[in-house]
Amino acid sequence: MTGKFAVVTGASTGIGLELARCCARDGYDLLIAANEAAIEDAASLLRQERGAGNVFALNADLATIEGVDKVVAAAEGRPIDILMANAGRGLGDSFLDQDFVKIRAVIDTNVLGTTYLVHKVGREMRNCNEGRILITGSIAGFTPGSFQAVYNASKAYLNSLSFALREELKETGVTVTCLMPGATETEFFRRADMLDTKVGTEEKDDAAMVAQTGYKALLNGESDVVTGMKNKIQSAVANILPNEVLAKQHRKMAEPGTAEN
């Protein structure tokens, strides 16, 4: 229990599980957390990785202060070498037709929970003058998200938070990296009820590739990384086009009923 220690949230499936796998292969002890029983299955998979350290699974509601406190308490005061704040939730459909309970869940998970977790762990890292933080933002944060309005807004927040915190910590031994993927082959679109959209049905990036790219950027202390050439082009274009045009383009991808046959 004296080796390297990583905490990964949203690690039951998808990018989070693959990020945890990267750490396991490098011999980190792991605390993985998600708000579903599948986190135990993820832990079993990670324990099978060659060179993996101890793997601890925690079922916690990362949209709540209490859930985040549960994660921090589970670390038992052990210094955290890597924090991967990856837990996130999506939501499709037009803003006024969305259930506000689901809107609140997106905001609480992506914004409140992530902010509180990074605040709690980041303070301890700063006190130790050592640590690495990866925040999973998105290229969605560059674009007004017609039919994904709250989700894209939450990712814009995370992208901004990551860059700001990195600047504040630049004189310390703590680095902050923002992982900004595009559409990735995970459970995201099913859970967000977006399987009848163009973006929900088209070919997507591989979650393992996205995670490996983010993990490498984290270890290198990079400020951010956009995964995949297509996404790099999209993010570059988003910095040029007017927001009105970007919102119109996003509608073509995310409006219900636009799925490709």
Side-chain angles (χ1 to χ4, degrees), residues 136-204:
T136 301
S138 174
I139 66 167
F142 299 135
T143 303
S146 308
F147 297 92
Q148 269 185 294
V150 176
Y151 173 77
N152 284 35
S154 73
K155 289 300 183 177
Y157 171 89
L158 291 178
N159 292 353
S160 180
L161 176 69
S162 180
F163 284 112
L165 181 58
R166 178 182 178 85
E167 174 62 23
E168 292 178 7
L169 293 172
K170 70 177 183 179
E171 303 299 332
T172 75
V174 182
T175 63
V176 182
T177 301
C178 189
L179 172 59
M180 295 184 282
T184 305
E185 196 61 59
T186 68
E187 290 292 299
F188 174 88
F189 293 96
R190 180 186 64 79
R191 291 173 174 172
D193 195 23
M194 295 183 66
L195 294 181
D196 62 342
T197 66
K198 186 175 187 296
V199 68
T201 54
E202 68 180 6
E203 185 176 354
K204 302 173 186 63

Side-chain angles (χ1 to χ4, degrees), residues 34-235:
N35 187 24
E36 58 181 349
I39 195 66
E40 295 290 349
D41 298 328
S44 296
L45 289 173
L46 294 169
R47 293 181 186 117
Q48 296 171 28
E49 292 290 336
R50 179 174 296 182
N54 296 294
V55 180
F56 307 91
L58 182 66
N59 190 331
D61 186 354
L62 298 162
T64 66
I65 296 295
E66 295 77 15
V68 173
D69 281 339
K70 188 176 177 182
V71 173
V72 174
E76 298 181 338
R78 184 177 179 184
I80 297 170
D81 298 287
I82 289 177
L83 170 65
M84 294 179 166
N86 173 78
R89 187 185 297 268
L91 184 62
D93 208 350
S94 62
F95 173 70
L96 297 181
D97 291 325
Q98 292 171 342
D99 182 337
F100 192 77
V101 171
K102 293 182 179 180
I103 289 175
R104 176 71 184 269
V106 171
I107 295 171
D108 285 350
T109 304
N110 299 5
V111 176
L112 173 67
T114 300
T115 302
Y116 184 50
L117 177 65
V118 170
H119 189 261
K120 294 277 286 188
V121 176
R123 275 189 167 183
E124 294 304 315
M125 286 183 171
R126 186 182 62 179
N127 290 342
C128 296
N129 200 37
E130 185 177 13
R132 298 184 185 276
I133 298 172
L134 181 77
I135 296 175
T136 301
S138 174
I139 66 167
F142 299 135
T143 303
S146 308
F147 297 92
Q148 269 185 294
V150 176
Y151 173 77
N152 284 35
S154 73
K155 289 300 183 177
Y157 171 89
L158 291 178
N159 292 353
S160 180
L161 176 69
S162 180
F163 284 112
L165 181 58
R166 178 182 178 85
E167 174 62 23
E168 292 178 7
L169 293 172
K170 70 177 183 179
E171 303 299 332
T172 75
V174 182
T175 63
V176 182
T177 301
C178 189
L179 172 59
M180 295 184 282
T184 305
E185 196 61 59
T186 68
E187 290 292 299
F188 174 88
F189 293 96
R190 180 186 64 79
R191 291 173 174 172
D193 195 23
M194 295 183 66
L195 294 181
D196 62 342
T197 66
K198 186 175 187 296
V199 68
T201 54
E202 68 180 6
E203 185 176 354
K204 302 173 186 63
D205 291 334
D206 176 64
M209 179 278 291
V210 170
Q212 289 161 12
T213 302
Y215 183 65
K216 181 179 179 181
L218 172 78
L219 295 184
N220 289 339
E222 297 174 24
S223 64
D224 62 288
V225 61
V226 175
T227 58
M229 183 54 65
K230 178 182 177 182
N231 298 324
K232 292 180 189 295
I233 294 172
Q234 287 183 0
S235 61

